[in-house]
Amino acid sequence: MPYDYEKDGAAIYRQSFATIRAEADLARFDANDEPIAVRMIHAAGMVGLERHLRFSPGFGATARAALARGAPVLCDAHMVSEGVTRRRLPARNDVICTLRDPAVADLARGGGTTRSAAALELWRPRLAGALVAIGNAPTALFHLLNMLEDPACPRPAAIIGCPVGFVGAMESKAALWADQPAPCCIVEGRLGGSAITVAAINAIASRAE
């Protein structure tokens, strides 16, 4: 065999998280947020990502409590919803992405917006107390913020706002951080994406590494 490499999955995880904790500057994260930050760094393969992570006070504790109560996880993209490790969820929580609902195309045309944004209109019946995870579409995060400007709109328990990209991603996350309609976490700037968002959900769902 020309290549010798670590074959024990559990050992790979242990070494990975030990490396992150040895190399990343995690001092500013509290005990609830630190495991979330570590998993997000792991998903990105990027020590240094922690400099771009922002957690509002109480985010980790609030999000965990919501899942423990059975709150659904509302996802903007199927890359996010499919990445959630169901066995980690504490209450067999529903993981929902409405992007492929047949009503979405008409909602998008009628509203003059993207399908990713329009799909959030179908969240309204499940939005109260939910964990929201936006990891792909800046338009979805902007639409959510506009929805939450209405006092009659149900409020989620917590928001993971990590859309990625060059148009609107930085601005939508800055807007979430400025408004904070619910406890939230963001990755500042253009960084983000589905894998990082899934990592945050899985870390919230269970502290097990």
Side-chain angles (χ1 to χ4, degrees), residues 29-43:
F29 301 113
D30 69 20
N32 283 301
D33 294 336
E34 188 260 11
I36 305 171
V38 168
R39 274 206 168 258
M40 294 171 83
I41 294 166
H42 180 256

Side-chain angles (χ1 to χ4, degrees), residues 174-207:
L176 172 59
W177 191 251
D179 290 355
Q180 296 197 23
C184 61
C185 79
I186 66 167
V187 181
E188 293 179 318
R190 295 170 171 176
L191 297 168
S194 298
I196 290 173
T197 303
V198 166
I201 298 167
N202 287 336
I204 291 164
S206 172
R207 290 180 179 272

